[in-house]
Amino acid sequence: MHRWISTMTAPVFFIGAHCSILFIAYPRAILSTTNYGHWEPATVIMLIELALMLILMKGLRKGGNRDYGDLFLPLGRWVGAVLLLPLTCYFMLVPILAVRSFAELMVIVFIANSPMYAILALLCLLMWLGASLGPQGIMRASTLMTLIFLPVLLFALLACLSNTSWLQIRPLLNPHLHYLMEKKFLTTLFSICPFLFLGMLPPVCKVRVKPMLLGWALIGLLYIFIVYLPILVYGVNAARIMNFPLMTSLDSVNITWSIFDRVSLFYAVALLAFVMTISSFALWSCGLLLHKLVPVCKETYIRGGLCLIVYVAAMLIPTWERYVEIFSADTWLRLAIFVVIPFAVYLRGKRIERQGRRQVGLK
């Protein structure tokens, strides 16, 4: 039993990390890529993530289950810094954008009259406390919250089916795939960023291919379902102009016997757990990588400083329109990291494996 729990920790974290992203910004982004046949770009995104995830995991296995810092820093401080600093900067973008987007959602669903600075301060405090638990604590919390809140999210999604019209799903096929090379589609690749966090897991928990493939398959079903739910409720033309099409779809459901008056409250409460999980892990990862780059700085102080940066950066995003612009602006940095890091890990792991064979041969 203990062995099964240890094996499934990484896939459960992988699913929870995706939920924090998919249930906020993904539906709106994928709806803007094409007028119909939205399952096609969603499937392409899934396959891209699968390919990059397998390359990364193979490199981690060959490298002896080291994290990014332990893989790259032996190459030299300058080479390690060139690889780790952009990765750390991108990891920092995850809590900034996640916390800011969820704060916007809280204003809509929960507390319309509360000031943004107070909401962001609360979220950043929770994130800092979560990061202070350490990797083992975050993994345990992630497993517990995913097992509790994922069924809550699924209940909220299934409740929307009562308001759907299946006639709006047509047409299903889009033979013109020109949108795959447009920036709108490339921007949607932000949804696969959780695979990068797998590179921080080997010293913490086991990361095995078969369980991860199971997690990827479950996420793939969510990719398709949460895109088509707003379409089935409102139609594609109406869903495309909404900032939060999924949340708006959930808000259209009224179940009088539920514990909350609005089903969207289930969605928001569950989403808070997932956003805090990925934000805390990203903050801990950044603190660890920067500590390995600059060992004289204590990891605790680094995390505190990074948490303050997250708060200030989130406060500097004044409106949702500005948020969307920033979200699109880092597309090329994101794509570069998605390509460079998995292949760098694979090549580094292959070299470590070759060196290990030579040492065995000399003995």
Side-chain angles (χ1 to χ4, degrees):
M1 183 67 177
H2 177 74
R3 182 180 178 183
W4 182 86
I5 294 174
S6 177
T7 302
M8 293 305 296
T9 298
V12 170
F13 169 77
F14 191 60
I15 294 171
H18 275 83
C19 288
S20 65
I21 297 172
L22 293 180
F23 286 96
I24 296 182
Y26 176 76
R28 184 182 187 275
I30 202 71
L31 284 169
S32 67
T33 58
T34 180
N35 293 325
Y36 54 92
H38 295 88
W39 66 271
E40 295 175 2
T43 302
V44 172
I45 290 171
M46 290 165 49
L47 295 176
I48 291 173
E49 179 174 25
L50 176 62
L52 294 174
M53 181 181 74
L54 291 177
I55 293 170
L56 179 66
M57 291 180 64
K58 193 168 184 179
L60 292 172
R61 183 176 57 81
K62 289 178 177 292
N65 291 323
R66 297 175 173 89
D67 64 21
Y68 291 126
D70 294 335
L71 281 172
F72 294 147
L73 284 177
L75 296 173
R77 188 157 298 275
W78 288 107
V79 176
V82 167
L83 290 169
L84 292 177
L85 283 179
L87 179 63
T88 304
C89 291
Y90 182 70
F91 278 172
M92 278 295 293
L93 284 175
V94 173
I96 291 172
L97 296 177
V99 166
R100 181 61 180 84
S101 61
F102 186 76
E104 190 80 19
L105 192 67
M106 287 185 70
V107 170
I108 296 173
V109 178
F110 283 118
I111 38 183
N113 297 322
S114 296
M116 184 62 69
Y117 68 85
I119 298 173
L120 290 174
L122 174 62
L123 294 177
C124 287
L125 177 62
L126 292 175
M127 177 183 64
W128 177 75
L129 292 173
S132 300
L133 294 175
Q136 296 290 350
I138 296 173
M139 288 296 104
R140 294 190 190 98
S142 172
T143 301
L144 178 63
M145 288 191 290
T146 300
L147 294 177
I148 292 175
F149 289 111
L150 185 57
V152 173
L153 273 176
L154 294 178
F155 163 76
L157 294 175
L158 293 174
C160 287
L161 294 178
S162 60
N163 290 346
T164 57
S165 172
W166 290 93
L167 296 176
Q168 300 187 99
I169 201 173
R170 298 179 297 178
L172 278 174
L173 294 177
N174 186 353
H176 306 291
L177 302 180
H178 58 275
Y179 59 84
L180 294 178
M181 297 307 297
E182 295 180 359
K183 189 176 179 180
K184 286 184 178 180
F185 171 75
L186 298 177
T187 301
T188 62
L189 292 175
F190 71 85
S191 60
I192 70 173
C193 78
F195 89 91
L196 284 174
F197 289 110
L198 297 180
M200 299 299 297
L201 290 182
V204 181
C205 61
K206 296 178 181 179
V207 183
R208 295 180 177 175
V209 174
K210 289 184 179 179
M212 293 304 302
L213 289 177
L214 176 60
W216 172 83
L218 294 175
I219 293 164
L221 296 176
L222 285 176
Y223 267 83
I224 305 292
F225 186 62
I226 65 175
V227 169
Y228 275 98
L229 192 59
I231 295 174
L232 295 174
V233 174
Y234 293 106
V236 65
N237 293 328
R240 281 163 62 95
I241 63 175
M242 297 175 180
N243 286 331
F244 297 98
L246 185 61
M247 189 274 294
T248 308
S249 301
L250 293 166
D251 213 20
S252 68
V253 180
N254 183 23
I255 302 178
T256 55
W257 53 264
S258 68
I259 190 172
F260 297 131
D261 293 334
R262 297 156 59 195
V263 174
S264 59
L265 294 177
F266 284 99
Y267 164 75
V269 170
L271 197 55
L272 174 61
F274 293 123
V275 168
M276 288 298 99
T277 297
I278 192 173
S279 298
S280 298
F281 190 81
L283 187 67
W284 170 81
S285 300
C286 292
L288 179 63
L289 293 177
L290 289 176
H291 174 67
K292 289 185 176 183
L293 280 169
V294 190
V296 294
C297 296
K298 291 186 177 181
E299 193 176 339
T300 304
Y301 297 153
I302 294 175
R303 279 200 304 268
L306 293 177
C307 189
L308 182 61
I309 291 173
V310 170
Y311 177 76
V312 173
M315 278 295 298
L316 291 176
I317 304 176
T319 62
W320 184 253
E321 289 72 21
R322 183 59 178 161
Y323 175 90
V324 174
E325 292 176 7
I326 295 172
F327 207 73
S328 302
D330 71 337
T331 298
W332 301 112
L333 169 65
R334 184 187 310 126
L335 294 179
I337 291 175
F338 284 175
V339 173
V340 171
I341 294 300
F343 282 97
V345 169
Y346 177 79
L347 294 175
R348 176 63 177 147
K350 198 171 182 179
R351 183 180 177 184
I352 292 174
E353 185 182 49
R354 191 182 302 116
Q355 290 173 345
R357 289 175 179 173
R358 288 177 183 173
Q359 291 177 356
V360 172
L362 292 174
K363 293 179 180 180

